[in-house]
Amino acid sequence: MPRYGMIDGLRGFFLVFMLINHLVFQGELWLQRVNHNQFAYVEDAQGFVFLSGLMIGLVYGRKMLKLGAPTASRLVWARAFELYRYAMGIVIAVLLARLVLPDAARLWGNWLGHTSLTGEPLRLFAIATFVFQPTVMDILPQYVLYMLVAPPILKLCLDGRVALVATVSGLLWLAGQLGFQHALTDPLGRWFTASDGQGLRAGFNLLGWQIVFFSGMIAGALTASGRIEWHRLFRPEASGVAKIALAVCLFFLPIRLLTARGILSDVVIKRIELLEVRADFSLVYLVNFAAVAVGLAWLMIAGPQHARASVRQVAGVVRGLFSVPFLRLLGRHSLYVYVWHVAIVYGVYYVDQRYGPFPVWARTLCAVAGVALLTLPALWRERGKRPTPAPSGTPSEASS
């Protein structure tokens, strides 16, 4: 499957920090404070979902242009079914561990509720239909659901109907901010309520977060169809868009720092909280993500040719970071690494709850070991292959 090395590096970067952020100990993990989400309302899940949409637009957009819409649509749906199998597989693996590990049912109670393989069929059906999503298992479900509706939307983008797609996506995002999803989610929650009192359980409002996925897909489709050339859009001499993006980031930086520490007045904090609902991908998150995405794209594409040496140096550091072979390795196999990261998170939580608390150095060592263990599925899938690195701006061949 054709891909871009820099995108792999970005996805690997998001996977590393996703693991670190998902680790839960009895005590603080200082590595979670060395994180971009401490300085802006931008998190790894956003980047991961956006890049997933981008790759759908790039890869399957080209397939749709070459093979036709029906064939490409079947390929997208086949990929969605593959993701569904992995989403269900990790749930089954954790529930099997719940059966055999001492006291696992209690220790994982906050994350799984009363869910078990021998428990209520209604709960298992809710998991199978993504109505109930255990903790840390909520990214793949939304990705699968978006992919189910992606083919006709991708076709519209390739046919030049981008304005229509963007408008509908924007209106759906607005509907999510107004709470229209409750017309469906509230009845589902009541119908699927189990003995633990939980019915619908999801970490993401699909109406809000779809704008992240489909904006990525639009960018990928425009690239695949040749309707946009990024080197012409982001030029070294046209840095106005980068300056605006930087201004937005600098505006929100003190707000993020002050609200996290409760320094602002209660009135101000309450107003900000209305606009920073992570589950809904509310306005603060949308504006921050757009600014960071545009600014980072300009820096990576136009930055190396900028007249100022300082800008070129920053661009070199950023491109160098996302060119690290370790990150690209993870990104080339992001689906399998993501699933494996869930197993690591559950395993660490179980050990810490049963045998902890551990000292700071042990928690840090555990986190570093977890990051190293992320490579296992990637190394397994690349066993016997010779590395064939490609320039960051050109496609390389690797399995996804």
Side-chain angles (χ1 to χ4, degrees), residues 125-318:
F125 181 69
I127 289 177
T129 54
F130 295 147
V131 174
F132 185 94
Q133 298 167 18
T135 299
V136 198
M137 301 187 194
D138 45 15
I139 290 184
L140 279 185
Q142 66 162 326
Y143 188 19
V144 170
L145 294 173
Y146 295 153
M147 289 186 70
L148 291 178
V149 300
I153 300 173
L154 179 57
K155 182 66 165 59
L156 287 173
C157 293
L158 295 174
D159 289 343
R161 308 292 295 278
V162 170
L164 172 64
V165 172
T167 300
V168 172
S169 180
L171 291 175
L172 289 175
W173 174 85
L174 184 59
Q177 308 314 301
L178 297 175
F180 289 177
Q181 72 278 3
H182 288 286
L184 176 62
T185 59
D186 288 351
L188 282 176
R190 290 192 294 269
W191 295 338
F192 284 95
T193 298
S195 60
D196 55 12
Q198 300 183 68
L200 185 143
R201 176 174 172 173
F204 300 95
N205 175 354
L206 294 179
L207 291 181
W209 277 77
Q210 54 78 28
I211 199 169
V212 183
F213 180 88
F214 288 109
S215 61
M217 195 181 77
I218 288 172
L222 289 174
T223 305
S225 60
R227 287 189 169 89
I228 190 169
E229 295 183 24
W230 297 103
H231 286 279
R232 291 188 177 183
L233 181 64
F234 296 120
R235 304 189 309 276
E237 67 277 9
S239 59
V241 65
K243 293 176 181 177
I244 294 173
L246 179 61
V248 171
C249 294
L250 292 176
F251 174 79
F252 279 102
L253 173 60
I255 297 176
R256 182 73 178 94
L257 294 174
L258 294 175
T259 54
R261 289 155 181 79
I263 297 176
L264 297 176
S265 67
D266 291 341
V267 175
V268 175
I269 289 179
K270 287 180 180 178
R271 291 197 174 190
I272 294 174
E273 286 177 345
L274 293 174
L275 301 175
E276 61 161 2
V277 182
R278 178 182 182 273
D280 293 336
F281 198 69
S282 55
L283 183 62
V284 168
Y285 281 95
L286 177 62
V287 172
N288 273 258
F289 179 74
V292 171
V294 170
L296 188 61
W298 183 91
L299 189 63
M300 294 172 67
I301 295 172
Q305 287 80 43
H306 196 267
R308 291 187 179 181
S310 58
V311 175
R312 295 197 301 271
Q313 290 171 355
V314 173
V317 170
V318 172

Side-chain angles (χ1 to χ4, degrees), residues 2 21 29 79 169 184 225 296 320 327 342 392:
N21 290 334
L29 178 63
R79 179 64 170 169
S169 180
L184 176 62
S225 60
L296 188 61
L327 297 180
V342 174
S392 59

Side-chain angles (χ1 to χ4, degrees), residues 92-108:
I92 293 172
V94 169
L95 293 181
L96 285 172
R98 182 185 182 274
L99 284 176
V100 300
L101 292 177
D103 207 24
R106 181 184 66 84
L107 298 178
W108 285 336

